[in-house]
Amino acid sequence: MRIATYNINGIKARLPRLKEWLEETRPTVACLQEIKTMDDGFPADEFEAIGYKAIWHGQKSFNGVAILADGIEPVEVQRGLGIDGPTDGEGEQARYLEAEVNGVRICNLYLPNGNPHPGPKFDYKLAWMEKLRARMREIWREEVPAVVLGDFNVIPEDKDVWSVRAMANDALMQPESRDAYRRFLDDGWTDAIDTLNPRGGVWTYWDYQAGAWQRDHGFRIDHLLLSPETADRMTAAGVDKEYRGREKASDHTPVWVELRD
């Protein structure tokens, strides 16, 4: 069972690349972030045509998450974490979607970026992470196989970025962001990519600017966190790096974990 996460950076703009990846790698579950479309604009029929069923949580122009499953309908468990956006009267942003697929709890997230910091957007990021941690603790107590995955917008350690100096002032690697991420691991969740690549140097994101892809100036912000019940079943984990180099690609690349049935 291959479970993957992919920040697609606009599902309409990247649809051909997304379908290529799905058909070429055939993940059992694909969690998407930044679909950037309202619910009624989600191209579900395009995925049905290649054998994937989907649920989604959309928002106009920004954010948005979706869960696709190969040949099976994801059973929705929860959408949203009950936290409003940083702007007064904004309401909740479309950043969290949770479902059951083949007996595994899939928790798909697009965590706030937090820039600029300090400021309300950074405060929102940290508050969102606390809400997520509370939800993860609830799932932990259920003792179900679970994967919490998506774009966390956190560079966990210095080994996860091409240049510490270049990113030193970014919200993605502030001590508060890193501490909040570390608390997930301290609670017992397993970072799949880090576990199998303890020396680091694995990137999941390359900016469109300054030739970042061509110069391999990337960092790791897309993560898969496994409950003990799924960590015991992990056989492999990796990054589909080549898809970042294709025409009109997302600035992220797919990241995945494989579990024994």
Side-chain angles (χ1 to χ4, degrees), residues 22-44:
L22 289 169
E23 293 188 284
E24 290 171 9
T25 67
R26 211 70 202 183
T28 312
V29 181
C31 291
L32 310 178
Q33 302 88 40
E34 282 200 276
I35 60 174
K36 297 181 180 178
T37 181
M38 298 284 280
D39 284 341
D40 58 6
F42 186 83

Side-chain angles (χ1 to χ4, degrees), residues 4 13 26 37 67 91 108 118 153 165 170 183 194 198 200 202-203 205:
R26 211 70 202 183
T37 181
I67 300 174
N108 178 21
N153 269 316
R165 182 178 179 182
D170 198 285
R183 284 193 284 273
D194 186 60
V202 177
W203 317 145
Y205 172 91

Side-chain angles (χ1 to χ4, degrees), residues 72-126:
I72 186 171
E73 186 89 32
V75 179
E76 184 172 325
V77 175
Q78 179 172 320
R79 63 176 53 206
L81 292 174
I83 179 170
D84 287 346
T87 304
D88 287 345
E90 176 181 4
E92 185 163 12
Q93 298 178 350
R95 292 184 176 273
Y96 184 85
L97 188 60
E98 184 179 321
E100 292 275 352
V101 181
N102 288 344
V104 177
R105 186 72 58 83
I106 304 295
C107 308
N108 178 21
L109 64 94
Y110 175 47
L111 206 146
N113 177 281
N115 282 305
H117 83 92
K121 291 187 176 181
F122 190 63
D123 295 341
Y124 171 57
K125 178 192 189 88
L126 298 180

Side-chain angles (χ1 to χ4, degrees), residues 75-189:
V75 179
E76 184 172 325
V77 175
Q78 179 172 320
R79 63 176 53 206
L81 292 174
I83 179 170
D84 287 346
T87 304
D88 287 345
E90 176 181 4
E92 185 163 12
Q93 298 178 350
R95 292 184 176 273
Y96 184 85
L97 188 60
E98 184 179 321
E100 292 275 352
V101 181
N102 288 344
V104 177
R105 186 72 58 83
I106 304 295
C107 308
N108 178 21
L109 64 94
Y110 175 47
L111 206 146
N113 177 281
N115 282 305
H117 83 92
K121 291 187 176 181
F122 190 63
D123 295 341
Y124 171 57
K125 178 192 189 88
L126 298 180
W128 206 95
M129 294 183 81
E130 277 303 306
K131 279 282 192 178
L132 175 62
R133 187 185 183 202
R135 179 58 188 154
M136 290 168 70
R137 285 177 159 179
E138 291 174 351
I139 295 167
W140 182 279
R141 288 193 291 270
E142 295 181 42
E143 297 183 354
V144 296
V147 183
V148 179
L149 71 167
D151 180 355
F152 282 72
N153 269 316
V154 176
I155 299 170
E157 299 183 53
D158 289 355
K159 66 182 181 180
D160 298 311
V161 59
W162 71 276
S163 169
V164 173
R165 182 178 179 182
M167 296 296 293
N169 294 320
D170 198 285
L172 275 59
M173 56 180 287
Q174 292 311 298
E176 299 92 335
S177 303
R178 287 180 160 184
D179 287 349
Y181 185 82
R182 172 56 58 181
R183 284 193 284 273
F184 301 145
L185 307 184
D186 290 344
D187 286 342
W189 296 81

Side-chain angles (χ1 to χ4, degrees), residues 140 146-148 188-192 224-228 230-231 234 257 259:
W140 182 279
V147 183
V148 179
W189 296 81
T190 296
D191 183 328
L224 305 104
L225 302 185
L226 313 181
S227 70
T230 46
M234 180 171 63
V257 63
L259 308 177

